[in-house]
Amino acid sequence: MNPNKALWEKGDFTQVAAFMRQSGQEFVKTLFTGAPLRVLDLGCGDGTTALPMAQLGAEVVGIDIAHNLVEAGNRRAVAAGLTQLGFQEGDACNLEGIADQSFDLSVSMFGAMFAPKPFDVAKELVRVTKPGGRIVMGNWIPGDPTFVSQVLKISSTVLPPPPEGFVSPMLWGVESHIVERFVQAGVPSEKISMEKAAFTFRLAEGPEHFIDIFRRFYGPTMNAFDAADKNGKVRELLSQLEELARSQNTATDGGTIIPATFMKVTVSL
């Protein structure tokens, strides 16, 4: 099996996405001017941004590599009565079956950044977006002190070395790499802009429960605990992640509110 597909079909990312819904809705509002749009949500999961875009009147196609997340997204679309929203399986590196210049807006929030061939991802995003349209990506930032970047950094300390040729997904959060990838896809550098923004995780339970959800349902963290189990570092890994969540929790009512900084990339075509 495709290793990237296996990673995101492992566990159940919908359990993590449930804590991102409010931020997804808030982010989507920043993307829309009111004009009808045909939108691609690439690496869409079960629809954290796809559903609110459709609820604002867009025709949305959600594409994800994970079969279970596509099924979950389609169930959510049906439950919400959103006939102009559909989810399908696909690979961000090769959007086979998607015609050139199909979308007014192509969005990927923490999805396409994990695909293994970043130059192909940039090329495909540019190919399927109409002239005059936009590409918007949200990517985690390497070394950033906030939550998700630190979860991935801590997890990497217990994982075996990556295979030869591996390109870190975190490079999608580095300005020079972002520009290089889209310039190679034919976009002038002055059409590429970046700014830091925040996505917030919110849940009623405390930070320890939050980390338990990551441990049981988030593919990269699941892999880290599998590796830690083999080298006797489970307790150490769990302690580090729980301390991270406690230190970044801003809630005062026993729940969890954790903001995570990301790089918002906007490409104008």
Side-chain angles (χ1 to χ4, degrees):
M1 180 186 282
N2 179 319
N4 199 43
K5 182 177 177 67
L7 175 66
W8 296 107
E9 289 184 351
K10 187 171 186 173
D12 182 4
F13 183 73
T14 66
Q15 300 292 324
V16 176
F19 308 138
M20 303 171 72
R21 303 290 189 221
Q22 185 175 332
S23 274
Q25 293 170 355
E26 292 167 354
F27 182 79
V28 163
K29 290 176 184 176
T30 70
L31 301 178
F32 281 75
T33 60
L37 295 174
R38 187 163 194 263
V39 182
L40 167 67
D41 191 342
L42 186 58
C44 57
D46 69 342
T48 299
T49 47
L51 256 76
M53 287 192 289
Q55 287 167 333
L56 288 175
E59 177 190 349
V60 184
V61 177
I63 296 179
D64 201 280
I65 199 167
H67 178 74
N68 56 327
L69 299 181
V70 167
E71 286 190 330
N74 279 319
R75 287 195 298 269
R76 293 188 70 212
V78 170
L82 295 169
T83 57
Q84 77 278 28
L85 168 62
F87 294 80
Q88 63 191 60
E89 285 185 55
D91 188 336
C93 300
N94 179 14
L95 294 172
E96 187 177 3
I98 303 297
D100 295 356
Q101 302 178 9
S102 292
F103 300 100
D104 304 295
L105 172 65
S106 295
V107 176
S108 184
M109 296 301 294
F110 323 122
M113 67 172 288
F114 289 99
K117 299 177 181 178
F119 284 93
D120 290 352
V121 169
K123 181 181 177 180
E124 286 292 82
L125 281 168
V126 171
R127 180 182 70 79
V128 303
T129 308
K130 296 177 182 178
R134 287 175 296 152
I135 298 165
V136 178
M137 296 183 76
N139 303 322
W140 303 122
I141 303 167
D144 187 85
T146 60
F147 182 73
V148 177
S149 295
Q150 288 301 307
V151 167
L152 295 171
K153 181 179 179 180
I154 291 168
S155 298
S156 71
T157 64
V158 299
L159 291 166
E164 187 177 351
F166 174 78
V167 179
S168 171
M170 300 301 285
L171 293 179
W172 268 116
V174 177
E175 292 189 20
S176 60
H177 288 273
I178 296 164
V179 170
E180 181 185 17
R181 290 162 183 180
F182 281 111
V183 165
Q184 187 162 311
V187 180
S189 59
E190 62 269 20
K191 296 285 189 177
I192 306 162
S193 64
M194 286 152 278
E195 60 179 316
K196 291 184 179 180
F199 224 78
T200 302
F201 296 89
R202 296 178 173 90
L203 64 155
E205 297 83 4
E208 292 79 8
H209 176 77
F210 185 46
I211 293 301
D212 185 57
I213 294 296
F214 268 74
R215 179 180 182 176
R216 292 190 291 137
F217 298 113
Y218 184 61
T221 308
M222 294 172 72
N223 283 350
F225 274 99
D226 289 346
D229 186 53
K230 293 176 182 175
N231 57 28
K233 293 186 176 181
V234 167
R235 185 172 296 180
E236 179 183 340
L237 176 60
L238 180 61
S239 176
Q240 287 182 292
L241 292 175
E242 288 182 343
E243 177 54 34
L244 172 69
R246 284 192 293 267
S247 69
Q248 303 216 352
N249 183 25
T250 63
T252 57
D253 59 358
T256 304
I257 300 175
I258 297 179
T261 302
F262 68 93
M263 186 72 77
K264 179 185 176 183
V265 182
T266 303
V267 179
S268 301
L269 300 181

